[in-house]
């Protein structure tokens, strides 16, 4: 039985300007040496502890902009996905994770903040800059970790907007088993599989409507769900 996740509140009281330097660094540079430094450690550790297995890695384009769109049930998803992508990756993460003590390490490792529950144009601008320079962006279309349902609810339109405005392909990605990762407290370490699907792409349309963006986001998540349910 999966341990229930406590309901969380996501109010962000810090000014958006507090994150300006983090956004600028991410817009200007791929992740620093820190990401490559921890991969040789984190990858084997995840494979040892959670028997982490990756499927469909060949579906990730070897060059050019890519959006990896995944379901999200655990903080560890960043690592489970990241070590399976053979390129530097940037992650969008909730702003509450970026404290004075953690903001620099997280930034060096490729994460940048999004203000949950707000129309965060700064985060969108950073996402577009990552894709414009031909890099890899990992995002979670449902907007946060699953609560109750291991897979999560309906997506927000953000990934659809990114697809239309950038023209970048999306690799639907299912993370299977990470909802049980917190069972480590009970000495349980269930296996985790990350399954990368066939890329999806649409012609650029910067004037796309919110309805079209939402519809496209739902199409992406249907592909993720199919991968998740594939066994």
């Amino acid at each position: 039985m999966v341990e229930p996740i406590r309901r969380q509140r996501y109010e962000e009281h810090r000014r958006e300007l507090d994150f300006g330097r983090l956004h600028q660094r991410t817009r200007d540079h791929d992740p620093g040496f820190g990401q490559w430094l921890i991969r040789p450690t984190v990858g084997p550790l995840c494979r040892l502890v959670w028997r982490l297995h990756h499927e469909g890695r060949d579906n990730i384009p070897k060059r050019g902009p890519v959006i990896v769109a995944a379901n999200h049930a655990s903080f560890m998803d960043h690592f489970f996905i990241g070590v399976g992508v053979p390129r530097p990756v940037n992650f969008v993460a909730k702003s509450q994770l970026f404290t004075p003590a953690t903001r620099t390490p997280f930034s060096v490792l490729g994460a940048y903040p999004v203000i949950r529950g707000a129309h965060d144009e700064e985060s969108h601008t950073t996402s577009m800059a990552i894709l414009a320079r031909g890099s890899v962006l990992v995002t979670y279309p449902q907007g946060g970790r699953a609560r109750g349902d291991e897979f999560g609810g309906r997506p927000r339109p953000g990934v659809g907007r990114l697809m239309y405005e950038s023209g970048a392909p999306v690799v639907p990605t299912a993370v299977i088993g990470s909802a049980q990762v917190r069972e480590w407290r009970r000495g349980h370490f269930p296996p985790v599989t990350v399954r990368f699907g066939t890329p999806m792409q649409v012609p650029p349309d910067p004037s796309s409507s919110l309805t079209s963006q939402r519809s496209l986001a739902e199409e992406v998540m249907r592909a993720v769900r199919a991968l998740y349910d594939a066994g």
Side-chain angles (χ1 to χ4, degrees):
M1 179 174 157
V2 178
E3 180 184 338
I5 306 177
R6 294 192 302 272
R7 183 176 180 81
Q8 295 186 5
R9 300 177 64 185
Y10 291 107
E11 289 87 349
E12 178 57 83
H13 301 293
R14 294 170 293 178
R15 292 177 302 139
E16 200 163 346
L17 288 175
D18 289 343
F19 305 115
R21 292 179 62 185
L22 300 181
H23 281 297
Q24 197 58 54
R25 184 193 183 285
T26 304
R27 292 169 190 173
D28 293 341
H29 306 285
D30 269 331
F33 71 94
Q35 189 168 111
W36 294 114
L37 191 64
I38 71 166
R39 281 177 182 245
T41 302
V42 172
L45 180 64
C46 289
R47 286 189 286 271
L48 175 66
V49 176
W50 289 287
R51 287 153 285 169
L52 178 64
H53 175 62
H54 293 95
E55 299 177 3
R57 294 180 68 187
D58 289 344
N59 286 322
I60 302 170
K62 293 179 173 58
R63 60 184 63 85
V66 181
I67 303 168
V68 175
N71 61 299
H72 187 29
S74 167
F75 172 79
M76 287 296 297
D77 291 338
H78 303 309
F79 301 97
F80 294 149
I81 296 171
V83 298
V85 178
R87 297 174 56 184
V89 295
N90 282 105
F91 298 88
V92 60
K94 65 181 181 182
S95 59
Q96 286 81 0
L97 293 175
F98 294 84
T99 67
T102 63
R103 63 175 59 193
T104 297
F106 282 172
S107 181
V108 169
L109 291 175
Y112 63 100
V114 60
I115 298 177
R116 298 282 300 278
H119 185 72
D120 190 348
E121 279 297 313
E122 285 294 303
S123 179
H124 178 74
T125 299
T126 301
S127 298
M128 288 294 293
I130 292 166
L131 298 173
R133 68 167 182 260
S135 298
V136 181
L137 166 64
V138 177
T139 187
Y140 305 106
Q142 292 154 314
R145 286 188 294 160
R147 296 285 182 221
D149 181 342
E150 291 183 26
F151 182 80
R154 292 184 63 188
R156 299 181 182 184
V159 71
R161 181 184 177 189
L162 285 173
M163 291 176 72
Y164 277 125
E165 292 187 5
S166 71
V170 164
V171 177
T173 301
V175 185
I176 305 155
S178 69
Q180 290 83 34
V181 164
R182 55 191 173 277
E183 292 289 293
W184 67 267
R185 300 186 188 94
R186 301 177 181 178
H188 300 156
F189 298 92
V192 174
T193 296
V194 177
R195 187 171 291 142
F196 299 104
T198 303
M200 305 168 61
Q201 194 168 12
V202 295
D205 182 7
S207 62
S208 62
S209 67
L210 180 62
T211 299
S212 297
Q213 294 167 6
R214 190 179 301 279
S215 177
L216 185 54
E218 290 176 347
E219 184 179 346
V220 170
M221 288 312 297
R222 282 195 292 272
V224 175
R225 182 83 213 206
L227 291 167
Y228 187 88
D229 290 338

